[in-house]
Amino acid sequence: MTSKPYLTGHYTPVTDEVTATELTVEGALPPELTGRLIRNSHNPKPGITPTHWFKGSGMVHGIRLRDGRAEWYRNRWVHTPALDGAAYMTEQGPDLTASTAGTHVIEHAGRLLALCEANLPFELTPELETVGAYDFGGKLTSAMTAHPKEDPVTGELHFFSSSPFPPYLIHHVASADGQVLDSQEVPGATAALKHDFALTEHHVVFLEGSVTFDPSEQSGIPYGWSDAQPSRIGVLPRGAGGAGRVRWYEIGQGFAMHLANAYEDARGRIVIEGPSVGRDGWRRSWNWWVGAPDRGAEPTSGSRGRRWTVDPATGRTAEE
């Protein structure tokens, strides 16, 4: 038996694709609660031990509720070339369709998309069957972040492509009906790992922490902590030509894998919140993700809530 933490306990992968209908309801479901609850996770096939938690193939799970009934539950692997062993790196370069598609799942413009930040999205049917790689009608030619943000007012979908090689960062905007409206390379970005970002009323906010490209890393996820990598917040004004006006603000050393919230306060300052780790927290989390010794009890051991405040008028930043 393997001792990899992401293959044991309540992380143990599900081995079968299941469909169940007319589920038993204990108590009552509000009839107004109608729709689908869908989640995604890394779930390698039986007999496969990935070198890193994030390398496990994606599996989506869904429950359909309607009129006080639980109509169905089903789970499906996202059937990408990687599920059948296709390599990400080829002689022609990265295969953007060889995705684990196991990080996140969203719905936009009527399309259900399973996401992994190194690849193209994979479209699913409403019943969670795999349709195939989706590239916004040929307009997306690079990877797509696993954590896009939808503007609740305009319906626009903001997302980015990040790479350890130039261009390091591209910001994309798709309309409410799913058409890519704008793609801009963001000046000043580096090879630092950018997993998540934030959206406010007038700005797109990127964080570059002290984790950057490390080709010596053998887990298949080529990133590692670097004291030499500055931690910065990039603030990009929304709208055409915004990338040309991006400003980068240095902050204290650390790394934020995900963000919880961002907004603009009454003084026009930009406030960003989320969990962050220092060098030791990163090391213990990474050891959990790869199954190495001296790891935390859970995947994000050592993280602490942080709030960063950026004042564009003065150029000052504060952290608490």
Side-chain angles (χ1 to χ4, degrees):
M1 294 292 290
T2 178
S3 63
K4 298 288 188 182
Y6 49 83
L7 298 180
T8 60
H10 61 276
Y11 298 97
T12 301
V14 175
T15 58
D16 299 306
E17 295 180 327
V18 173
T19 301
T21 59
E22 298 304 327
L23 308 178
T24 300
V25 176
E26 296 181 2
L29 290 170
E32 300 85 0
L33 189 60
T34 293
R36 295 168 300 164
L37 173 64
I38 300 173
R39 62 171 286 260
N40 196 357
S41 61
H42 295 285
N43 191 95
K45 291 195 296 187
I48 294 178
T49 299
T51 54
H52 193 289
W53 189 25
F54 302 163
K55 298 288 284 184
S57 294
M59 175 179 278
V60 288
H61 301 250
I63 296 175
R64 179 69 165 98
L65 306 181
R66 195 198 314 263
D67 300 327
R69 297 179 294 114
E71 289 188 337
W72 53 253
Y73 161 82
R74 48 172 50 92
N75 65 297
R76 297 290 187 272
W77 272 290
V78 185
H79 286 259
T80 76
L83 182 67
D84 297 319
Y88 171 69
M89 290 302 301
T90 71
E91 293 181 357
Q92 291 74 39
D95 180 357
L96 295 180
T97 71
S99 174
T100 62
T103 308
H104 193 20
V105 59
I106 66 163
E107 188 172 43
H108 180 70
R111 284 189 168 86
L112 190 62
L113 302 175
L115 304 174
C116 171
E117 68 191 59
N119 305 88
L120 291 171
F122 262 76
E123 185 176 355
L124 309 174
T125 70
E127 291 74 34
L128 310 186
E129 305 296 343
T130 302
V131 176
Y134 180 67
D135 62 3
F136 291 85
K139 294 181 179 179
L140 182 64
T141 58
S142 58
M144 175 178 174
T145 177
H147 295 296
K149 312 298 178 191
E150 185 174 292
D151 186 316
V153 177
T154 67
E156 291 177 337
L157 188 72
H158 289 249
F159 56 100
F160 67 87
S161 304
S162 180
S163 171
F165 308 104
Y168 295 116
L169 181 62
I170 303 173
H171 172 239
H172 304 277
V173 183
S175 62
D177 63 359
Q179 302 299 311
V180 172
L181 300 175
D182 190 35
S183 296
Q184 303 178 67
E185 183 178 346
V186 181
T190 71
L193 176 59
K194 288 169 282 291
H195 181 72
D196 198 3
F197 75 123
L199 190 67
T200 70
E201 184 178 3
H202 299 105
H203 299 93
V204 183
V205 182
F206 298 100
L207 259 73
E208 290 196 340
S210 302
V211 174
T212 191
F213 178 58
D214 180 1
S216 68
E217 172 58 45
Q218 298 300 307
S219 68
I221 307 291
Y223 287 90
W225 184 275
S226 171
D227 288 330
Q229 174 67 42
S231 296
R232 307 183 304 159
I233 295 174
V235 177
L236 184 154
R238 291 175 57 172
R245 293 177 284 130
V246 67
R247 293 178 65 184
W248 293 92
Y249 302 84
E250 290 208 11
I251 56 175
Q253 191 178 61
F255 177 73
M257 177 73 82
H258 298 103
L259 300 179
N261 193 24
Y263 58 93
E264 298 163 22
D265 69 11
R267 295 167 52 184
R269 300 178 305 177
I270 300 159
V271 182
I272 309 105
E273 299 172 347
S276 175
V277 294
R279 185 193 301 106
D280 186 62
W282 168 263
R283 178 183 58 81
R284 289 175 62 78
S285 292
W286 185 269
N287 286 349
W288 196 99
W289 300 338
V290 300
D294 192 22
R295 56 182 180 251
E298 290 293 336
T300 55
S301 295
S303 63
R304 296 290 183 270
R306 293 284 188 274
R307 177 184 292 125
W308 299 272
T309 302
V310 176
D311 190 338
T314 64
R316 295 176 180 174
T317 64
E319 180 177 344
E320 55 186 313

